[in-house]
Amino acid sequence: MDVIKIIEKLPYAKPFLFVDTLSHIDSSGAAGSFCFQKDLDFYEGHFKQLPVTPGVILTECCAQIGLVCLGIFLLSETLETKTNDLSVVFSSSQMEFYLPVYPGETVYVSSEKLYFRFNKLKCKVKMHNAARELVCKGELAGMIKYSTHGA
């Protein structure tokens, strides 16, 4: 499955889509990027004097690129997916944050699969900024599956 099809199968849309590119994906992990445009709504109220990207949004960006995109890829290896009816349930996160991400910054996310069993995927994720500094890292897990109805 190519990266464009993977992004198209994501169950998100703007303004809650945090994947611009997928630069790498295989059965071991994924890598991609996202630019936090200055006009995103959450910047208006999150530290109004000096806007910064909320940690929950950074976690979501890591999950979309590193967990959900990888899950779509792994599912495509095991069954033919004729539907876009993807169910994602985020089950756990353990993240550590080191640097802020400001409006206009591009971040780069990479993941390493820890396991994928019974549709549960767990990954190590890392996010770096354009200066290659570590922004955050952690472990994320979720259940990922395609609906069998309508297929």
Side-chain angles (χ1 to χ4, degrees), residues 46-97:
H46 197 252
F47 301 109
K48 57 188 177 184
Q49 299 302 321
L50 182 62
V52 64
T53 309
V56 68
I57 299 293
L58 298 177
T59 301
E60 181 67 27
C61 180
C62 287
Q64 288 186 19
I65 293 171
L67 190 75
V68 182
C69 287
L70 179 58
I72 291 169
F73 177 83
L74 293 171
L75 285 173
S76 74
E77 289 187 324
T78 60
L79 60 107
E80 187 158 335
T81 55
K82 295 179 179 169
T83 178
N84 282 338
D85 196 3
L86 181 72
S87 297
V88 178
V89 178
F90 197 46
S91 60
S92 69
S93 69
Q94 181 179 356
M95 296 292 290
E96 296 177 15
F97 300 92

Side-chain angles (χ1 to χ4, degrees), residues 97-143:
F97 300 92
Y98 303 104
L99 294 172
V101 174
Y102 297 107
E105 280 194 71
T106 298
V107 295
Y108 303 88
V109 175
S110 61
S111 71
E112 174 189 340
K113 179 183 74 177
L114 296 174
Y115 65 80
F116 182 55
R117 288 189 294 272
F118 306 110
N119 289 358
K120 183 169 184 176
L121 177 60
K122 186 170 185 178
C123 296
K124 287 184 181 181
V125 294
K126 291 182 182 178
M127 177 184 284
H128 291 84
N129 60 20
R132 297 182 186 203
E133 300 167 309
L134 184 63
V135 171
C136 60
K137 70 177 183 176
E139 291 185 3
L140 304 174
M143 298 291 294

Side-chain angles (χ1 to χ4, degrees), residues 6-58:
I6 291 170
I7 293 172
E8 288 173 355
K9 286 189 175 285
L10 286 168
Y12 315 105
K14 290 186 179 200
F16 207 74
L17 175 64
F18 301 113
V19 181
D20 287 334
T21 66
L22 277 178
S23 56
H24 172 80
I25 195 156
D26 64 22
S27 61
S28 299
S33 66
F34 182 73
C35 179
F36 286 97
Q37 300 294 327
K38 294 178 182 184
D39 62 351
L40 291 170
D41 288 344
F42 54 78
Y43 286 129
E44 286 185 35
H46 197 252
F47 301 109
K48 57 188 177 184
Q49 299 302 321
L50 182 62
V52 64
T53 309
V56 68
I57 299 293
L58 298 177

